Amino acid sequence: QVQLVESGGGLVQAGGSLRLSCAASRSIRAINNMSWYRQAPGKQRELVAAISNIGTTNDADSVKGRFIISRENAKNTVYLQMNSLKPEDTAVYYCKGDYNARDYWGQGTQVTVSS
């Protein structure tokens, strides 16, 4: 079993930056893939970025060149560095871990980008 706790959300002006953190309750080396998803009001949850346990990354087209996913194994933490934020990035951001063929989700952190 894995517990995931997100932090770092908040209110920021358009063009600003935020860094989200996702802390895992066990070694992230044992977690195959860790991902960030987001869900805006009235919309489906969508993949933002993912990183494998060997460091391979995958980004959604809407965030390419602006968001960077990374992992710090020593702290069992995955980060999402978000730059050049836009109002359309406003959403609840969730962390997901794929461990033993099961998906584990965090509780989410709100990101609000004002225009």
Side-chain angles (χ1 to χ4, degrees):
Q1 196 169 4
V2 180
Q3 283 79 45
L4 301 172
V5 179
E6 301 99 333
S7 61
L11 173 63
V12 64
Q13 288 189 331
S17 298
L18 282 175
R19 187 176 81 157
L20 305 183
S21 299
C22 172
S25 61
R26 65 179 305 128
S27 172
I28 60 174
R29 290 185 178 91
I31 301 175
N32 290 332
N33 292 290
M34 293 199 69
S35 311
W36 286 98
Y37 283 73
R38 66 185 180 187
Q39 187 166 20
K43 295 188 177 181
Q44 288 190 331
R45 193 171 295 189
E46 63 175 359
L47 175 67
V48 176
I51 186 166
S52 73
N53 57 0
I54 60 171
T56 304
T57 62
N58 179 38
D59 305 322
D61 288 343
S62 58
V63 305
K64 282 188 189 297
R66 300 190 298 124
F67 291 10
I68 302 170
I69 188 170
S70 62
R71 57 193 295 152
E72 188 170 359
N73 290 340
K75 294 187 176 181
N76 294 328
T77 299
V78 173
Y79 303 100
L80 185 67
Q81 178 66 44
M82 304 188 296
N83 302 318
S84 302
L85 282 160
K86 304 175 181 179
E88 51 263 43
D89 294 319
T90 295
V92 178
Y93 283 71
Y94 297 91
C95 178
K96 189 187 83 167
D98 171 14
Y99 176 70
N100 279 354
R102 180 179 169 182
D103 291 338
Y104 293 86
W105 293 88
Q107 82 289 349
T109 185
Q110 176 70 46
V111 171
T112 303
V113 184
S114 63
S115 57

